[in-house]
Amino acid sequence: MRLVTYEIEHKSGLGVISRDGRWIYPLASLDMDYKTMQDLIENISDSEKQLLEYASGQDPYKIRGAAPIDEVRLQAPIPYPRQDVICLGINYMAHAEESARYKKEEFGGERPYAIYFSKRVNKATAPGEGIPSHKNIVNDLDYEAELAVIIGKRAANVPAEEVRDHIFGYTIINDVSARTLQTQHKQWYFGKSLDGFLPMGPCISTVDELAYPPHVQVQSRVNGELRQDSNTELLIFDIDHIVSELSQGMTLQPGTIIATGTPAGVGMGFNPPKFLKPGDVVECTIEGIGTIANQVVD
């Protein structure tokens, strides 16, 4: 099933998307009183999950408060993440190569260890919401379409073969990046964490919605031009490895967001680079989840 945070008639709530993708059924109409997605992730029961799965297949006219999906305003599924987002750097080999070219570095073709960094998020950017250009300090704004994993239950010292049991679901993020800020400070935190740099959505697809491990197509388009087109099958470090390794000594709490890295085709990978400018529209699409589109604004 696919879960959303949405707004209609100036009221926000949680909903489940109908199986045909055309309707949103409010959880409140199913007697689920979760106020936020974080609350739901931490507390939802197996029986409630079964009810939501059943309800998503029902006739919309039998669900009180059902609304056509094109008449609601989708928010980021987790608008205010409880912690910084954990990100994977250079987790597709082709992206590792283009990154090395941009930095004029030698690339030996080996990645023995995963690269982790964090991304501060005061508020996640909703589908359709603007990405601020921060043009006073940024002149090389870039996009990165990524599959994000959302932890569903406390994960500490989890073996790789048990990782799936700790995952709640998946969403799409655009790991917007300011390349000069990212590199000149010799670490990535500032250049990845400016306000508005985490478009997220349009929903959370629960772990059972996709085959495991998810081998899904990851794409981005800028003004309709296909830029990134790859598959999570090509991750250097897969989800089992990532979650298991991070959980060795670092407890992952429910609602933790882990961005698994971006494939080749980002702006800095072109010669000359194709960085974003105000007015550009970035679409990030992942098979089985959907698409988020955001315009760069002044």
Side-chain angles (χ1 to χ4, degrees):
M1 62 188 166
R2 291 175 293 164
L3 300 170
V4 294
T5 299
Y6 71 106
E7 181 180 312
I8 186 169
E9 296 178 350
H10 307 293
K11 295 180 180 179
S12 61
L14 303 179
V16 61
I17 298 177
S18 63
R19 288 182 195 163
D20 64 8
R22 298 170 56 193
W23 295 82
I24 291 179
Y25 302 158
L27 268 57
S29 70
L30 302 170
D31 296 323
M32 296 186 194
D33 192 31
Y34 298 114
K35 302 302 183 186
T36 66
M37 191 69 75
Q38 179 69 39
D39 184 25
L40 181 148
I41 292 169
E42 291 178 358
N43 296 292
I44 191 169
S45 67
D46 288 341
S47 61
E48 287 175 321
K49 291 178 183 178
Q50 292 169 5
L51 174 59
L52 287 176
E53 182 63 38
Y54 172 78
S56 68
Q58 298 305 296
D59 188 313
Y61 298 103
K62 295 181 179 179
I63 305 293
R64 176 171 48 86
I69 197 167
D70 56 4
E71 293 182 10
V72 309
R73 181 180 177 186
L74 293 177
Q75 302 296 314
I78 306 176
Y80 299 95
R82 181 165 289 180
Q83 297 176 313
D84 287 1
V85 175
I86 301 171
C87 300
L88 271 287
I90 311 177
N91 200 27
Y92 290 80
M93 195 60 69
H95 178 55
E97 294 169 355
E98 70 179 0
S99 178
R101 284 197 307 271
Y102 177 72
K103 298 173 185 176
K104 297 180 173 59
E105 297 175 348
E106 292 295 326
F107 176 63
E110 295 183 358
R111 278 287 177 266
Y113 301 104
I115 297 172
Y116 298 111
F117 63 95
S118 62
K119 185 179 182 84
R120 187 169 189 82
V121 184
N122 290 316
K123 179 181 182 296
T125 300
E129 193 173 3
I131 299 170
S133 64
H134 294 282
K135 62 183 181 181
N136 57 321
I137 56 171
V138 176
N139 57 17
D140 44 16
L141 189 68
D142 214 342
Y143 54 89
E144 296 188 2
E146 305 194 17
L147 175 72
V149 174
I150 299 167
I151 298 298
K153 66 179 181 179
R154 184 179 181 274
N157 300 310
V158 178
E161 61 271 18
E162 296 178 13
V163 164
R164 185 188 184 281
D165 296 336
H166 291 75
I167 294 173
F168 181 78
Y170 313 96
T171 192
I172 303 169
I173 72 157
N174 182 355
D175 179 20
V176 181
S177 306
R179 296 302 184 191
T180 296
L181 293 181
Q182 179 184 343
T183 56
Q184 71 184 6
H185 289 281
K186 307 304 179 185
Q187 49 73 38
W188 299 351
Y189 193 69
F190 185 34
K192 294 279 190 173
S193 301
L194 302 187
D195 291 344
F197 272 22
L198 192 80
M200 178 197 299
C203 64
I204 294 175
S205 287
T206 52
V207 67
D208 55 329
E209 185 77 6
L210 303 176
Y212 193 87
H215 292 162
V216 291
Q217 208 69 11
V218 179
Q219 298 177 321
S220 69
R221 290 175 170 80
V222 178
N223 302 328
E225 176 193 1
L226 183 64
R227 296 282 184 88
Q228 294 176 281
D229 189 13
S230 188
N231 194 288
T232 55
E233 185 176 10
L234 299 176
L235 288 170
I236 298 172
F237 299 98
D238 63 17
I239 292 168
D240 287 342
H241 176 97
I242 294 165
V243 175
S244 179
E245 181 171 69
L246 287 171
S247 76
Q248 306 305 311
M250 184 173 76
T251 301
L252 304 175
Q253 299 292 350
T256 297
I257 302 167
I258 304 172
T260 58
T262 201
V266 299
M268 72 174 180
F270 292 88
N271 186 17
K274 295 182 177 182
F275 292 125
L276 299 172
K277 59 186 183 300
D280 286 345
V281 175
V282 184
E283 297 172 89
C284 299
T285 300
I286 296 183
E287 181 183 1
I289 304 176
T291 298
I292 53 172
N294 302 86
Q295 186 173 44
V296 180
V297 296
D298 282 330

